Amino acid sequence: MSGEAKKSKLGLYLLGIIALIILFTVPFIISPGAEFGGADDGAGEVIVEMSPGYEPWFNSFWEPPGETESMLFALQAAIGAIIIGYVIGYLRGSSAQ
Amino acid sequence: MHIMEGFLPLLWAIMWYVVSIPFVLYGIMEIKKLFREHPEQKMILAVSGAFIFVLSSLKLPSVTGSSSQPTGTGVSSVLFGPAITSVMATIVLIFQAILLAHGGITTLGANVFSMGIAGPLIGWLAFKGMRSFKAGMIPSVFVAAVLADWVTYLVTSIQLALAYPGADIISSFTAFATVFAVTQVPLAIGEGIIMAIFFDFLLSNRPKMIREILKEKIGKASSETPGVAQ
């Protein structure tokens, strides 16, 4: 790949990353007091609103406490990130020849 | 899009299992075939799945003041199609349902359908469609990833509206879509950007293999990636 093509790509990547940062900081600027609760729970509330008295007919075997839940979410992300990092490194290394 | 445990009436829970299971089984067969015929593609499959793991673990804030999760299914849908993607989405959803009480076993069929089948299917079709109109590879991946994410949440809204039609099904759908659809727009765009950057990386490092997976003829679409065709 020519140096120039690489440069223009870098610019495009930067643009993408800046767009990402804006996308995920804007919510805090336009609604600073919001709780940012999960949309899944939001849908649950709509169900309860529409059919008052609805009782879930099946419950999870166990529900991890908040802190443990965060840990497990982090674990899920970590498993994925390890694989992504490994493969990116492998592909880069082996394509250099 | 995780429909919570116990929040789908039994009949619908069974219905979505019935719809999803054949798809996932077909996907498992496809993966076996891929491993047998193209073992060199294993690593690309693994990294596509890893994106589903990472992105679906993130609860991202959105403009509506609530948080939601991306799906991460874009790259996998584009490269391997909806059947294989449904297998990987199923693995993630089981992890989340059992360990995190996020989503559920009774709602697994419905969640697999929205995140692993419907979203990826539309994303995959969009990619194929755009490519047949000679759209660039990266813009096509971007659109596919955005749609794979966004359609997932539209389908969840449809699933919930079907199960809880209320007064009429349209206003019920609107109620659920209000929760999901707008929240998901910036997330879907963000996911599209991440996927496009990653796909560009794959394309510059393994141009031949990516073309082979996509079954596009080498050279046919090389105009937007000058100098990388090996």
Side-chain angles (χ1 to χ4, degrees):
Chain A
M1 198 186 304
S2 71
E4 212 163 281
K6 235 177 198 165
K7 222 182 238 170
S8 77
K9 253 185 188 174
L10 199 69
L12 218 60
Y13 286 180
L14 276 176
L15 211 68
I17 290 165
I18 291 168
L20 281 175
I21 294 170
I22 292 171
L23 271 175
F24 298 113
T25 47
V26 157
F28 294 101
I29 296 164
I30 62 171
S31 44
E35 283 186 19
F36 293 101
D40 294 349
D41 298 332
E45 281 161 27
V46 175
I47 293 173
V48 172
E49 226 169 79
M50 285 166 74
S51 354
Y54 181 85
E55 282 286 322
W57 58 276
F58 190 87
N59 278 313
S60 306
F61 300 109
W62 82 299
E63 210 162 318
E67 299 294 320
T68 313
E69 190 192 18
S70 311
M71 182 273 280
L72 289 167
F73 264 120
L75 180 69
Q76 185 192 330
I79 294 170
I82 287 170
I83 298 171
I84 292 172
Y86 178 83
V87 174
I88 284 184
Y90 178 84
L91 292 179
R92 264 206 101 98
S94 60
S95 75
Q97 276 148 17
Chain B
M1 45 43 80
H2 301 84
I3 300 176
M4 292 190 288
E5 185 76 284
F7 269 87
L8 267 190
L10 181 62
L11 208 64
W12 283 108
I14 294 171
M15 217 288 280
W16 291 115
Y17 260 100
V18 170
V19 174
S20 296
I21 284 174
F23 224 88
V24 176
L25 289 180
Y26 177 67
I28 293 172
M29 278 160 53
E30 288 273 283
I31 291 179
K32 276 190 182 156
K33 201 173 121 196
L34 184 83
F35 278 14
R36 197 171 56 236
E37 293 173 7
H38 298 285
E40 77 281 0
Q41 292 174 6
K42 267 184 200 169
M43 199 167 270
I44 307 288
L45 180 71
V47 76
S48 308
F51 266 100
I52 303 178
F53 253 79
V54 173
L55 288 180
S56 71
S57 72
L58 305 174
K59 291 184 184 174
L60 295 172
S62 184
V63 283
T64 50
S66 57
S67 297
S68 192
Q69 284 151 319
T71 62
T73 50
V75 168
S76 172
S77 324
V78 164
L79 288 174
F80 300 104
I84 287 183
T85 305
S86 74
V87 179
M88 289 185 285
T90 304
I91 296 170
V92 173
L93 287 167
I94 290 174
F95 180 96
Q96 293 183 333
I98 292 177
L99 290 178
L100 294 156
H102 209 80
I105 294 299
T106 60
T107 54
L108 183 66
N111 290 333
V112 166
F113 183 80
S114 62
M115 177 177 158
I117 300 172
L121 182 67
I122 300 295
W124 180 69
L125 287 175
F127 179 80
K128 294 279 172 202
M130 284 183 72
R131 290 300 288 162
S132 70
F133 283 105
K134 303 211 167 7
M137 188 74 95
I138 300 306
S140 307
V141 170
F142 174 77
V143 171
V146 170
L147 284 178
D149 177 315
W150 202 61
V151 167
T152 296
Y153 283 81
L154 279 189
V155 170
T156 303
S157 305
I158 295 172
Q159 288 172 325
L160 287 170
L162 287 170
Y164 301 95
D168 70 302
I169 199 157
I170 300 294
S171 59
S172 168
F173 168 74
T174 315
F176 289 114
T178 312
V179 175
F180 286 130
V182 185
T183 305
Q184 206 62 25
V185 170
L187 269 59
I189 295 171
E191 181 166 347
I193 295 172
I194 295 170
M195 292 302 178
I197 291 177
F198 177 68
F199 205 90
D200 185 73
F201 171 84
L202 284 183
L203 213 52
S204 348
N205 284 279
R206 282 293 185 282
K208 249 172 113 179
M209 189 185 287
I210 298 301
R211 303 270 178 209
E212 208 181 293
I213 296 174
L214 291 171
K215 297 183 181 69
E216 290 187 4
K217 286 200 179 66
I218 299 161
K220 177 188 156 197
S222 65
S223 55
E224 80 270 13
T225 52
V228 291
Q230 286 173 346

